[in-house]
Every structure is written in C-alpha cells, then in structure tokens.
C-alpha cells in the first residue's frame, strides 16, 4: 500500500493484474495498460494516485469489482473498439471524481451496479448498440455522498440515447446525472424507480415504444420542459413530482 510505482512500466506480456496490486499506489500520469492484458482483478487499482488516462485493448476479458474505485486523478477511460469485454463489474470506477470521458467498446453488454456512481464530472457518453443491462445506480450522482458540492460542478451536457437493445435500466441508474439535457429511449426496457430522477439539466424526453413511466422516474427534474411519448398506457406515482416547468 502506498507504493511509489511512477517508474514501473509493465511489459505487454502481462495478462493479469492481481487483486490489490496497485492499491493506494502512486503511478505515472502516463501509465499504460499492457497491450495483452486480459484480467484486472477486484480492487487492483483502488485508491491509486496519479493515473490520468487509461486505454484497454482488445484482449481484456474481466474488469473487477472496485478495480479503479476512488482513483481521484483519473480523467479519461477508453475501451478500444476491438475490446471484447462484455461487462464492467460493480463499482469499477465508483467515486472517480475527475472522470469526464468514457469511450465504450461496441461489444459491451452490461454495466454493473454503481459502476460509475458519483463520477460527478462525467460528460456526454455514447452507449454501445449491443448494451443490454444498466444496473442500479450505474451512473448515479445523487445519494449518500453524491449530492455534496455538486452545485459548483460544470459539465458539457448532451443527448443520452438508450439503444433499443437495452432490456433493463436499474433503480436510480442515472439519478442526479448532470450531463443529460435530452433523453431518448429507443426501445421498451424495464425501468427501475428514480432511474432519471433529479437530473438538473434534463429538458427533453422522447420515446416511441415505452408504455409505462415508473414511480418517481423524473422526480425533481425541475428543468424538464418537453415530453414526447407515442404509446403511453401507465403513469406511476410521483413521475413528474417537482418538475416545475
């Protein structure tokens, strides 16, 4: 713990980075993941300092729970377009406060619970077309810690498109997210309560196939001005509570 690893360069032959290998270590801002890396075990880089940007190449198969939790200097994460990783595990990048840019590979199927929770500087993301599951609190900003000091956070906002392949969006998945100014749901996923609640910059919502708005889905989205729905049959409790516009 606390190892100064700024001068350590991992060779491309490394395939596995074990649990807690870099826990609380200090690494170079230009730290490079090995080209042939296949497994990043749970908590491998937890509390790691200095790391600003990481790229995962095509061989990656497992990205562990808490693997980059509280890497407070991390700003950019890129999954190579050839990367076959199908799931980002729970809390993988939780509380990476400076994380602003994430580029997903087209093969990603699942984003685990709280994977990017409390990443309050996260800006517009493009969800891959093969994505199927977004678990509870995956991109949540509100909550136990996430609602602290968010008033001074400025991010570039953009349209978030939920692809038609997505079958499930968990409870509070985007609760409090700052980067969404327009939401488009292309398919008919099962959605958990508070999924898009308290998104302060959300102004528009569009869906063609969604028939049900679940409880508190947009609660506290006080800037929501426009809602376009084609086939709505059910509106849950408190869906638009606090939407003053």
């Amino acid at each position: 713990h606390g190892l100064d690893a700024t001068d350590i360069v991992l060779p491309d032959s490394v395939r596995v980075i074990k649990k807690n290998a870099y826990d609380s270590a200090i690494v170079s801002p230009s730290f490079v993941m090995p080209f042939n890396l296949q497994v990043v075990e749970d908590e491998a880089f937890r509390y790691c300092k200095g790391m600003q940007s990481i790229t995962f190449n095509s061989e990656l198969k497992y990205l562990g729970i808490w693997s980059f939790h509280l890497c407070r200097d991390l700003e950019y994460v890129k999954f190579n377009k050839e990367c076959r990783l199908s799931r980002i595990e729970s809390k993988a990048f939780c509380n990476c406060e400076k994380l602003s840019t994430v580029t997903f590979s087209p093969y990603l199927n699942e984003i685990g619970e709280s994977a990017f929770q409390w990443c309050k500087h996260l800006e517009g993301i493009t969800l891959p077309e093969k994505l199927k599951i977004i678990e509870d609190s995956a991109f949540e900003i509100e909550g136990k810690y996430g609602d602290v000091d968010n008033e001074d956070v400025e991010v570039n906002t953009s349209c978030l498109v939920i692809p038609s392949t997505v079958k499930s969006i968990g409870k509070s998945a985007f609760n409090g997210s700052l980067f969404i100014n327009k939401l488009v749901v292309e398919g008919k996923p099962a959605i958990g309560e508070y999924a898009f609640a308290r998104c302060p910059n959300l102004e528009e919502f569009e869906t063609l196939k969604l028939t049900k708005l679940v409880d508190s889905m947009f609660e506290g989205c006080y800037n929501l001005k426009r809602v376009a729905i084609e086939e709505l049959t059910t509106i849950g409790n408190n869906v638009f509570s606090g939407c003053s516009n």
Side-chain angles (χ1 to χ4, degrees):
H1 296 303
L3 170 71
D4 185 346
T6 52
D7 295 326
I8 296 177
V9 178
L10 296 179
D12 284 339
S13 57
V14 172
R15 295 183 180 272
V16 179
I17 297 178
K18 302 291 284 186
K19 183 176 181 178
N20 301 123
Y22 282 85
D23 189 340
S24 303
I26 302 169
V27 302
S28 168
S30 57
F31 182 88
V32 177
M33 291 291 168
F35 186 84
N36 293 308
L37 183 65
Q38 294 183 358
V39 175
V40 179
E41 291 192 354
D42 300 347
E43 304 175 13
F45 289 90
R46 190 177 61 163
Y47 306 126
C48 191
K49 302 176 183 68
M51 181 186 295
Q52 294 180 358
S53 176
I54 50 176
T55 298
F56 297 101
N57 293 303
S58 58
E59 298 299 315
L60 188 67
K61 297 177 180 178
Y62 180 78
L63 189 63
I65 300 168
W66 302 101
S67 49
F68 292 88
H69 173 236
L70 269 169
C71 289
R72 304 242 167 153
D73 297 314
L74 185 60
E75 298 179 21
Y76 305 99
V77 174
K78 179 179 180 180
F79 296 88
N80 187 294
K81 64 181 181 179
E82 303 294 328
C83 181
R84 298 282 176 159
L85 182 72
S86 63
R87 175 179 169 84
I88 296 174
E89 290 295 339
S90 300
K91 300 178 174 65
F93 296 96
C94 179
N95 228 330
C96 292
E97 290 184 352
K98 293 183 180 179
L99 183 61
S100 63
T101 304
V102 179
T103 303
F104 297 110
S105 88
Y107 298 98
L108 187 67
N109 294 148
E110 300 179 13
I111 299 176
E113 180 179 351
S114 303
F116 295 93
Q117 190 176 29
W118 304 320
C119 295
K120 59 187 179 182
H121 284 94
L122 192 65
E123 296 188 342
I125 58 171
T126 300
L127 298 176
E129 290 295 330
K130 292 187 178 182
L131 189 65
K132 295 179 180 178
I133 297 173
I134 303 171
E135 293 185 357
D136 294 356
S137 302
F139 295 93
E140 182 178 31
I141 300 298
E142 288 282 343
K144 186 176 180 181
Y145 303 107
D147 55 1
V148 178
D149 297 328
N150 282 347
E151 290 184 2
D152 297 328
V153 177
E154 294 185 8
V155 300
N156 293 319
T157 60
S158 61
C159 177
L160 175 68
V161 177
I162 307 294
S164 59
T165 54
V166 173
K167 304 301 181 187
S168 175
I169 301 173
K171 179 180 177 181
S172 299
F174 293 89
N175 181 24
S177 290
L178 303 176
F179 65 88
I180 309 170
N181 64 8
K182 181 177 180 179
L183 173 67
V184 177
V185 178
E186 294 185 335
K188 195 177 177 180
I191 300 178
E193 60 184 14
Y194 298 100
F196 301 96
R198 305 183 187 96
C199 293
N201 297 312
L202 180 62
E203 297 181 358
E204 298 181 62
F205 168 59
E206 293 182 6
T207 181
L208 294 177
K209 297 181 180 180
L210 203 61
T211 58
K212 179 180 180 181
L213 301 184
V214 298
D215 293 354
S216 302
M217 185 169 169
F218 294 107
E219 181 178 311
C221 293
Y222 51 81
N223 279 315
L224 185 61
K225 300 178 178 70
R226 177 178 175 270
V227 175
I229 305 173
E230 293 277 327
E231 301 180 8
L232 184 65
T233 59
T234 306
I235 299 178
N237 296 321
N238 301 312
V239 171
F240 298 108
S241 175
C243 299
S244 55
N245 287 303

